[in-house]
Amino acid sequence: MNKQEVLSILDQYGLSAKKSLGQNFLCNENVISDILGLAEVGPKSRVLEIGPGIGALSEELVSRCGKYVAIEIDTRFQARLEECIGKKGGKVLFEDYLSFSPDTVPDFVPDVILSNLPYYVMTPIMLKVMKDYPSCPRMVYMVEEEACDRIFGKPNSKQYGPLSILTSLYGEKEKVFRVDGASFFPAPNTTSAVIRIERGDSVFDPSWIGFVESAFALRRKTLVNSLSSGGKYGKDQILSALSHAGIPETIRSEALLPENFTEIYKFLQGRKDE
Ligand code: SAM
């Protein structure tokens, strides 16, 4: 889909982009084709797309994959998406992904999740995807390039936090290429980046999400103070977990490696012998 086609679809359906919903539609065919290539979708793939918009990626995805489901918050796109997804055998649910329950689509477990993410809600969507689909083999996301620091941040850096830790625990992540603002309509002022996350063999436990978030609840405090402030774990318990893991009791969350969090969590759950 090029810019001319985007403009003509918007005109045909009487639509316009809503800034408040993070709507910047892809209008660069090379970028679209590179994203589709990264997704490696085949006839047996089950694809979940979050925020299909006016269908820049969707039409091709529906025709390439075995099963396709999209979740879009903006009901204004109904007629357009019926045309390019519904009529081709895909399904679109019109709701906020943050309120979506995977039970709504029984027997659908995606093996590829793809989204040109609405940037205002990037982190909550990425975290919820890991909670909803903890064993999905591949995710391909368009994100704001600036946000890559939060995704790829290293311990002791300012941006290191739940998103970098949890995506590391989820699998292998890679920033694959940058996308300039001119590849979208309307063009944002920022540069974007396409990232891919591939699941490893190890298990991802969705309860790590709340745990890691509570470890960062008081970012400037020690891990003990931050975790205990949630009321779920007492200071003594946390101190025992740290001592068990050989970690100093004054440590701050931002200094811990991803695997330190799972080790401490396991201890706190009383699963230290597993
Ligand atoms: N996929 C299209 C493309 O690449 O051109 C549109 C991408 S646009 C950056 C983000 C899309 O996410 C918009 O269609 C927007 O309406 C949708 N969206 C925003 N917030 C959402 C939410 N909470 N749940 C589901 N979709 C959302």
Side-chain angles (χ1 to χ4, degrees), residues 170-188:
Y170 195 87
E172 289 293 316
K173 56 191 168 185
E174 181 189 4
K175 176 177 169 185
V176 191
F177 57 90
R178 301 167 80 225
V179 182
D180 63 11
S183 298
F184 303 88
F185 179 81

Side-chain angles (χ1 to χ4, degrees), residues 46-192:
R46 299 174 303 271
V47 175
L48 173 71
E49 186 182 3
I50 300 168
I54 55 170
L57 298 159
S58 326
E59 202 155 11
E60 191 59 30
L61 281 171
V62 181
S63 64
R64 285 189 196 185
C65 76
K67 190 154 186 189
Y68 172 97
V69 174
I71 299 166
E72 169 58 60
I73 199 170
D74 194 340
T75 52
R76 296 178 310 150
F77 299 155
Q78 246 157 355
R80 163 63 190 160
L81 293 180
E82 174 52 25
E83 192 61 34
C84 70
I85 298 177
K87 282 193 180 159
K88 301 199 164 149
K91 186 181 174 80
V92 189
L93 302 175
F94 285 93
E95 65 177 294
D96 180 346
Y97 179 69
L98 297 178
S99 317
F100 164 75
S101 160
D103 300 337
T104 327
V105 202
D107 305 324
F108 177 72
V109 182
D111 47 28
V112 181
I113 297 175
L114 199 130
S115 181
N116 172 8
L117 284 163
Y119 297 159
Y120 76 101
V121 75
M122 176 199 87
T123 301
I125 289 184
M126 285 180 68
L127 294 178
K128 183 167 163 20
V129 166
M130 291 189 279
K131 177 170 155 277
D132 290 346
Y133 299 109
S135 51
C136 176
R138 178 172 306 126
M139 296 164 185
V140 176
Y141 292 127
M142 175 84 73
V143 299
E144 201 166 16
E145 195 184 26
E146 271 179 29
C148 284
D149 295 343
R150 257 181 291 148
I151 301 166
F152 295 92
K154 299 278 180 245
N156 289 315
S157 69
K158 209 169 148 200
Q159 303 281 10
Y160 183 66
L163 196 57
S164 29
I165 292 160
L166 291 158
T167 48
S168 292
L169 293 172
Y170 195 87
E172 289 293 316
K173 56 191 168 185
E174 181 189 4
K175 176 177 169 185
V176 191
F177 57 90
R178 301 167 80 225
V179 182
D180 63 11
S183 298
F184 303 88
F185 179 81
N189 292 328
T190 51
T191 303
S192 298

